[in-house]
Amino acid sequence: MSKALSALSLSVLALGLAACTSVRVTPLQSAPTTMCIEENPKVMVSDFVPVLQQGFARHGITTQPYSTIPWDQCPYVVRYTARRTWDMAPYLSSAELTVLGPQRQTLATAAYHLRGKGGLSLMKWQGTKSKMDPVIDELLSNTQLIAEPVAKAPAVSESGKLSKQERL
């Protein structure tokens, strides 16, 4: 009887370990208060970008999604991937975030992954927000926000008026 109970206990433990969530984060050290999110049309998780925007806003960073990132207008970019899995209903099973700097160098990364696609865990059906908020918080919790440079006002001529070129 104890061998059967022991085998059952090991099976339950193995099943529990297979359903664990894996989160890997390399935190963002510093960032401006505005970033762009590069839209990924392959992602079929409809609420993923709004959850990202809310998470970044919670840390003082405004984001704007773009399908084509204007390089000179948006030096800091967030790229993402997200995958759904289906088990009686679709659910988020993995996601990756990458924050890129002005030369498109990687500044920070975060990854969320349900091992074994969630197994028998009922937690796998939690919403995108409940899964991604802790990941975003870990990514941004110690980020130093950088004051963004203010555009210089055009110089006024001696007559006190702007030239035609300056007005354009």
Side-chain angles (χ1 to χ4, degrees), residues 1-15:
M1 186 70 140
S2 66
K3 284 186 178 182
L5 184 58
S6 183
L8 179 62
S9 296
L10 284 175
S11 297
V12 169
L13 178 63
L15 204 69

Side-chain angles (χ1 to χ4, degrees), residues 52-69:
L52 274 183
Q53 289 184 287
Q54 291 166 10
F56 275 69
R58 199 170 48 251
H59 292 276
I61 301 171
T62 303
T63 56
Q64 180 64 43
Y66 287 97
S67 55
T68 304
I69 301 294

Side-chain angles (χ1 to χ4, degrees), residues 5-163:
L5 184 58
S6 183
L8 179 62
S9 296
L10 284 175
S11 297
V12 169
L13 178 63
L15 204 69
L17 290 175
C20 290
T21 302
S22 167
V23 175
R24 292 183 329 272
V25 176
T26 302
L28 184 60
Q29 301 301 311
S30 63
T33 57
T34 304
M35 292 188 186
C36 294
I37 296 175
E38 185 174 359
E39 292 178 337
N40 184 344
K42 294 180 181 179
V43 171
M44 297 296 159
V45 181
S46 62
D47 62 341
F48 196 81
V49 171
V51 166
L52 274 183
Q53 289 184 287
Q54 291 166 10
F56 275 69
R58 199 170 48 251
H59 292 276
I61 301 171
T62 303
T63 56
Q64 180 64 43
Y66 287 97
S67 55
T68 304
I69 301 294
W71 184 286
D72 60 333
Q73 295 173 23
C74 199
Y76 289 80
V77 175
V78 178
R79 288 186 177 155
Y80 64 91
T81 62
R83 291 182 179 81
R84 294 186 307 179
T85 300
W86 192 90
D87 184 1
M88 304 218 285
Y91 60 92
L92 179 69
S93 59
S94 69
E96 293 179 9
L97 305 175
T98 304
V99 179
L100 303 174
Q103 281 73 49
R104 298 305 188 249
Q105 76 277 23
T106 300
L107 300 176
T109 61
Y112 169 88
H113 180 72
L114 280 176
R115 291 186 186 143
K117 297 186 180 176
L120 296 176
S121 172
L122 299 177
M123 303 292 277
K124 68 184 173 187
W125 286 294
Q126 286 182 324
T128 304
K129 184 171 177 52
S130 64
K131 291 177 180 178
M132 292 307 297
D133 274 358
V135 177
I136 294 167
D137 290 345
E138 190 174 340
L139 179 71
L140 302 175
S141 64
N142 294 318
T143 303
Q144 292 292 119
L145 296 180
I146 302 167
E148 296 176 55
V150 178
K152 286 185 178 180
V156 179
S157 66
E158 291 176 18
S159 67
K161 295 182 180 180
L162 296 175
S163 70

